[in-house]
């Protein structure tokens, strides 16, 4: 009971607030109203408009990706990225069980089957060691590519996720993928502004994706993006996400099965205004995380801090409690007091639709799922106390 009230007191002290505290609410303190109004006045509110191009260019400059293609949300971005990585129906995509359900859902949307490996305590992202062990123990190289022995399915790709904006060990994961000939697609939905060394999350693999949902660091209301350094993939991504329509002044000619995945100009206008403020958002969140870290260290409650050689956006700050019972008590005490806290997602392998999927040992996943609590992490206009 004491530690639950310790958590409540620390969060309130750090924020300097005794009112309700959301987990992560958007902040609109810049040009959002003006830009959205300009799209309305122009009548270009759908997927054709200047703000879409501007949003993509701003993201390219921020992330260092050569090409960025804006989409309707993070799930559609991930779905399309997997298709562009040549993931075919019936194949396997190795991902982590500890992730938001959209990661695994996108694999299924692409017609494939997710296989689950463990995460690391330090990053909460995919363990390159667990990935390597799964491939060695359960897969084999054949003339037709890497095959999962038990099912005979081809293993097409690897899909790690940068959990809560903490960069995973993506270079080591990329090395494993290169040795086994797997396409690497990064789910960087939560990692806008996060870097390992100097490389932005989502730009190491063949493709990477971002999300701009209402609870993300920068939001477009609902939106996503595909990142790649490959010009051929980029052209294909823009074509397929725009219903595969062949450009023409008036004809409706389509040369492939396309997808209506392009971000509307109205949403992109909001995103441009948000990206103009990203430096201030990141500065606030990193300062907030450091104050949390210091306070929880005094209380002897582990705070999930960025790993060495990384620069995290601290999208959602997290602490680790001693047991599942202690976690549940903390969630009850804080939420009853108007401080929104949440457990981490139910691991994918525990959900009924994925319970029979291939997987390796998942001890860290299960341990983290039982102990982790996310605490209020949103940007606030006033400085935290």
């Amino acid at each position: 009971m004491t530690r639950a009230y310790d958590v409540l007191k620390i969060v309130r002290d750090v924020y300097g607030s005794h009112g309700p505290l959301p987990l992560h609410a958007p902040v609109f303190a810049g040009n959002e109203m003006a830009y959205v109004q300009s799209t309305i006045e122009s009548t270009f509110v759908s997927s054709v408009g200047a703000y879409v191009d501007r949003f993509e260019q701003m993201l390219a400059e921020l992330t260092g990706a050569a090409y960025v293609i804006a989409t309707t949300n993070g799930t559609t971005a991930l779905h399309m990225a997997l298709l562009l990585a040549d993931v075919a129906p019936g194949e396997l995509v190795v991902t982590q069980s500890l992730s938001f359900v959209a990661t695994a859902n996108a694999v299924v949307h692409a017609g494939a089957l997710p296989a689950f490996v463990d995460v690391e305590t330090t990053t909460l992202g995919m363990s390159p060691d667990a990935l390597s062990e799964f491939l060695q123990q359960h897969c084999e190289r054949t003339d037709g590519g890497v095959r999962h022995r038990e099912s005979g399915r081809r293993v097409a790709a690897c899909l790690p996720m940068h959990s809560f904006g903490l960069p995973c060990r993506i270079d080591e994961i990329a090395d494993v993928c290169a040795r086994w000939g797997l396409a690497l697609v990064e789910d960087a939905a939560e990692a806008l502004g996060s870097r390992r060394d100097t490389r932005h999350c989502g730009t190491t693999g063949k493709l990477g994706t971002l999300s701009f949902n209402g609870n993300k660091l920068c939001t477009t209301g609902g939106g996503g993006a595909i990142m790649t350094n490959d010009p051929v993939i980029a052209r294909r991504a823009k074509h397929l996400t725009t219903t595969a329509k062949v450009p023409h002044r008036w004809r409706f000619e389509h040369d492939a099965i396309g997808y209506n995945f392009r971000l509307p100009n109205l949403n992109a206008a909001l995103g441009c205004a948000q990206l103009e403020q990203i430096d201030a958002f990141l500065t606030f969140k990193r300062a907030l995380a450091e104050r949390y870290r210091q306070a929880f260290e005094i209380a002897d409650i582990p705070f999930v801090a960025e790993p060495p050689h990384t620069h995290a956006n601290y999208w959602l700050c997290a602490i680790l409690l001693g047991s599942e019972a202690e976690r549940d008590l903390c969630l009850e005490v804080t939420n009853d007091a108007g401080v929104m806290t949440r457990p981490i997602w139910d691991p994918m392998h525990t959900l009924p639709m994925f319970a029979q999927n291939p997987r390796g040992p998942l001890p860290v996943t299960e341990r983290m799922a039982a102990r982790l609590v996310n605490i209020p992490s949103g940007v606030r206009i006033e400085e935290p106390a």
Side-chain angles (χ1 to χ4, degrees), residues 118-315:
D118 212 358
V119 297
E120 297 183 299
T121 303
T122 52
T123 68
L124 301 178
M126 180 182 288
S127 163
D129 300 326
L131 171 63
S132 181
E133 180 183 355
F134 176 83
L135 293 170
Q136 291 174 12
Q137 295 294 322
H138 299 281
C139 303
E140 60 187 4
R141 294 178 176 88
T142 71
D143 292 340
V146 178
R147 296 279 171 182
H148 181 248
R149 292 193 187 93
E150 183 177 347
S151 66
R153 298 173 186 265
R154 187 177 85 95
V155 184
C158 174
L159 178 57
M161 202 268 278
H162 299 280
S163 304
F164 306 138
L166 300 171
C168 63
R169 284 200 288 152
I170 194 64
D171 293 334
E172 289 90 336
I173 292 170
D175 288 343
V176 175
C177 290
R179 290 198 301 271
W180 285 83
L182 304 182
L184 174 57
V185 178
E186 293 177 66
D187 185 347
E190 302 170 356
L192 183 68
S194 295
R195 302 188 303 271
R196 176 166 286 279
D197 295 320
T198 60
R199 187 184 288 272
H200 193 284
C201 291
T203 62
T204 298
K206 189 172 189 177
L207 299 115
T209 64
L210 297 166
S211 171
F212 301 97
N213 189 33
N215 64 354
K216 294 302 191 294
L217 176 69
C218 292
T219 183
T220 59
I226 300 165
M227 299 178 287
T228 185
N229 292 320
D230 187 318
V232 175
I233 289 177
R235 285 194 298 271
R236 187 70 173 161
K238 183 163 289 191
H239 184 60
L240 291 179
T241 56
T242 317
T243 67
K245 185 179 182 297
V246 178
H248 193 277
R249 289 174 60 195
W250 57 77
R251 288 187 59 192
F252 288 92
E253 180 184 355
H254 305 263
D255 60 4
I257 298 297
Y259 301 81
N260 190 13
F261 284 175
R262 287 287 281 161
L263 184 71
N265 197 43
L266 194 70
N267 298 81
L270 188 68
C272 289
Q274 288 274 285
L275 289 178
E276 289 175 350
Q277 303 167 79
I278 190 171
D279 289 343
F281 290 171
L282 287 168
T283 296
F284 182 99
K285 288 175 70 64
R286 287 182 58 80
L288 176 68
E290 178 57 21
R291 295 180 192 197
Y292 270 148
R293 188 195 64 76
Q294 293 178 12
F296 282 113
E297 183 177 351
I298 293 171
D300 196 29
I301 298 174
F303 177 78
V304 181
E306 63 187 5
H309 309 295
T310 70
H311 182 94
N313 68 6
Y314 284 106
W315 171 60

